[in-house]
């Protein structure tokens, strides 16, 4: 199997390197050509001139880009150049609707599509230990499995095309709520002058225990917000979640409240910090006596 | 050391039994006398006629009752009957202000006070594995430690009187937010017809992982809300949290939103269900298309 990889960002680059290590990577393409040139030189793989040229020499293409429009643009560029029976795996985080539209466009070329958003951050991408939430046809998933297993450790088939993105959106909503929970509670504790290290010990082992408290709590209580997961990326994902809820005529309170808070963080130029910097806003409530 | 125990409810009774097993329990008292009579018969310990009589034969008293007023009423009843140098341990969940007031009143009799709210539920109470968040004088805590160790596994000294209750309040705020996070995300997933068991697997191992998802998720996705922790008790605790935040002129969004939702659950007579029944309200959003 010759795989092509489109989108060599913070996640895509280490994922492409893992495909190369597994002997599956043929060619790569990136909008900023210098990045692809650098990696092609490093790995000894082919830098394609454009997405279509990459598709022409691949029987599987992995896409890992930023937005819904980017995904559809790439799909339109590679669809006509892929052989019938090829498969496209989209690891970007976009809406389920975009996933279904991408699958529809590729189906006209008899090309399969899997939406496979990932979780586990850049560390997971480097280690090849990502959690991959897959949507699409079971046979396509079986054929794509060697590629997915080169990039991730947990691969869960969630249903038809779009189900992977719906699962990722669910994950992002839950992370938003837990961020709200942890940052609000820690701000309350800080205002009451509690010893924060001991607090983390007392709370981590009980019913309030969670990954975010264990991994971000120790830096939050020092007022540090190293990456992690950027505020501006989570904000983009929550826009997707809000749009997906709006299709049901629903506005969800955790999503809306977190978007409101992130907008304030972005305005204060904290968009490049880890999302745990929500603690700034909750702490300010106590400092300023706002309501 | 002869300990007396006041308040033999769902938590207090198993805690008293563990004190008895450790050879520390002298006498017991409960507002509903039949409960104390039954336990006294079972354990072969003394059922005191009133809190004062219990205090007169105890050099340490554990209180485990429901509300702030109850704690102060008990403190007023036992204070005059305790010898100087005795210690009162309050395991109830009340405000830090009430803890400080209780300590002030007992200090006039030269009696020490520790606020020691617990977490770990009735299972933890039975197993003697409670997490105990202690506030008070370090010497008092040292003397009381045998009693606390008979009831709990993790005993963390959080600071002066009131610090235990402030820690418990922090815990209850975090639990409220996590309940919001999990129930909102699962309702979103359910509306998108995702396979919920696989979803729990996909999300539990990542950045959204938390105790509540692992322990309540499996029943929530079946629409079941077994105890656990009752809605009406968490509502009481969140009132305490709200009052403690109000002392800083602050209203905290997770607290306020959760109280609003619990009020609706209580009105619909779901107050005796586990707090994960918040999932009912989030699911209704999608069913009814409310906003």
């Amino acid at each position: 199997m010759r795989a092509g990889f489109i989108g060599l960002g913070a996640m895509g680059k280490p994922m492409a390197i893992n495909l190369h290590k597994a002997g599956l990577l043929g060619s790569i393409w990136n909008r900023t050509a210098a990045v692809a040139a650098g990696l092609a030189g490093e790995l000894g793989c082919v830098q394609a001139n454009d997405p279509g040229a990459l598709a022409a020499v691949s029987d599987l293409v992995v896409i890992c880009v930023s937005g819904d429009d980017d995904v559809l643009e790439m799909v339109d560029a590679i669809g006509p150049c892929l052989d019938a029976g090829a498969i496209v795996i989209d690891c970007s985080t976009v809406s389920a609707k975009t996933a279904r539209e991408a699958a529809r466009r590729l189906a006209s070329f008899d090309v399969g599509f899997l939406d496979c958003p990932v979780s586990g951050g850049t560390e997971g991408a480097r280690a090849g230990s990502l959690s991959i939430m897959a949507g699409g046809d079971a046979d396509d998933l079986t054929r794509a499995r060697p590629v997915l297993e080169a990039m991730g450790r947990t691969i869960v088939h969630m249903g038809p095309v779009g189900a992977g993105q719906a699962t990722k959106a669910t994950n992002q909503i839950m992370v938003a709520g837990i961020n709200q929970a942890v940052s609000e509670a820690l701000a309350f504790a800080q205002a009451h002058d509690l010893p924060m290290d001991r607090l983390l010990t007392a709370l981590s082992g009980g019913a309030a225990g969670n990954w975010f408290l264990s991994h971000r709590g120790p830096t939050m209580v020092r007022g540090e917000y190293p990456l992690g997961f950027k505020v501006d990326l989570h904000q983009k994902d929550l826009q997707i979640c809000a749009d997906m809820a709006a299709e049901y005529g629903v506005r969800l309170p955790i999503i809306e409240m977190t978007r409101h808070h992130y907008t304030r963080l972005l305005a204060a130029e904290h968009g490049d910090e880890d999302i745990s910097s929500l603690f700034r806003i909750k702490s300010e409530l106590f400092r300023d006596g706002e309501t």
Side-chain angles (χ1 to χ4, degrees), chain A:
Chain A
M1 180 174 284
R2 294 154 305 154
F5 204 107
I6 293 176
L8 303 165
M11 294 295 286
K13 187 175 169 181
M15 290 162 71
I17 291 171
N18 281 325
L19 278 191
H20 172 75
K21 286 179 184 165
L24 295 166
L25 188 65
S27 50
I28 58 178
W29 185 82
N30 191 67
R31 197 179 294 275
T32 304
V35 175
L39 187 62
E42 191 183 314
L43 301 182
C45 65
V46 176
Q47 177 189 9
N49 285 328
D50 55 57
L54 176 141
V57 296
S58 303
D59 39 28
L60 185 148
V61 176
V62 182
I63 300 173
C64 193
V65 295
S66 285
D68 292 61
D69 292 345
D70 301 320
V71 170
L72 293 178
E73 183 190 338
M74 290 302 116
V75 160
D76 288 339
I78 63 179
C81 305
L82 285 164
D83 288 339
I87 298 177
V88 173
I89 299 175
D90 180 31
C91 295
S92 320
T93 295
V94 296
S95 72
K97 202 175 186 175
T98 293
R100 287 190 292 268
E101 176 61 19
R104 194 187 63 77
R105 295 186 190 182
L106 289 167
S108 67
F109 302 106
D110 202 17
V111 168
F113 178 84
L114 298 166
D115 52 312
C116 293
V118 303
S119 128
T122 51
E123 284 161 290
R126 277 193 297 274
S129 65
L130 293 168
S131 175
I132 302 179
M133 305 157 235
D137 178 78
D139 289 339
D140 288 345
L141 182 59
T142 300
R143 288 195 294 143
R145 197 166 274 274
V147 167
L148 297 173
E149 286 177 348
M151 304 188 296
R153 184 181 297 152
T154 309
I155 298 145
V156 185
H157 186 206
M158 295 302 298
V161 168
Q165 295 297 351
T167 304
K168 180 69 187 279
T170 302
N171 187 76
Q172 301 308 72
I173 295 168
M174 203 176 291
V175 168
I178 291 170
N179 192 7
Q180 291 283 351
V182 170
S183 58
E184 183 164 318
L186 293 186
F188 177 95
Q190 197 175 55
H192 284 84
D193 286 328
L194 293 174
M196 299 303 277
D197 288 345
R198 273 186 249 173
L199 182 92
L200 296 181
T201 303
L203 268 53
S204 293
N210 64 85
W211 184 97
F212 196 83
L213 180 68
S214 301
H215 288 78
R216 303 288 173 255
T219 41
M220 290 169 80
V221 302
R222 293 200 301 269
E224 297 167 9
Y225 314 102
L227 297 177
F229 181 43
K230 282 186 189 178
V231 171
D232 65 354
L233 288 177
H234 201 193
Q235 181 77 323
K236 173 191 78 89
D237 293 354
L238 291 179
Q239 178 68 57
I240 293 169
C241 298
D243 292 344
M244 288 176 71
E247 289 172 29
Y248 292 81
V250 173
R251 283 163 59 95
L252 290 174
I254 287 290
I255 295 177
E256 298 307 322
M257 181 163 81
T258 309
R259 290 174 70 204
H260 169 73
H261 287 147
Y262 285 174
T263 298
R264 286 178 52 195
L265 286 175
L266 290 163
E269 300 190 344
H270 297 307
D272 285 336
E273 291 181 343
D274 182 71
I275 58 170
S276 54
S277 74
L278 176 58
F279 186 53
R280 290 180 182 277
I281 287 178
K282 302 273 184 171
S283 300
E284 276 167 18
L285 283 173
F286 284 96
R287 203 156 45 239
D288 305 343
E290 290 171 22
T291 59

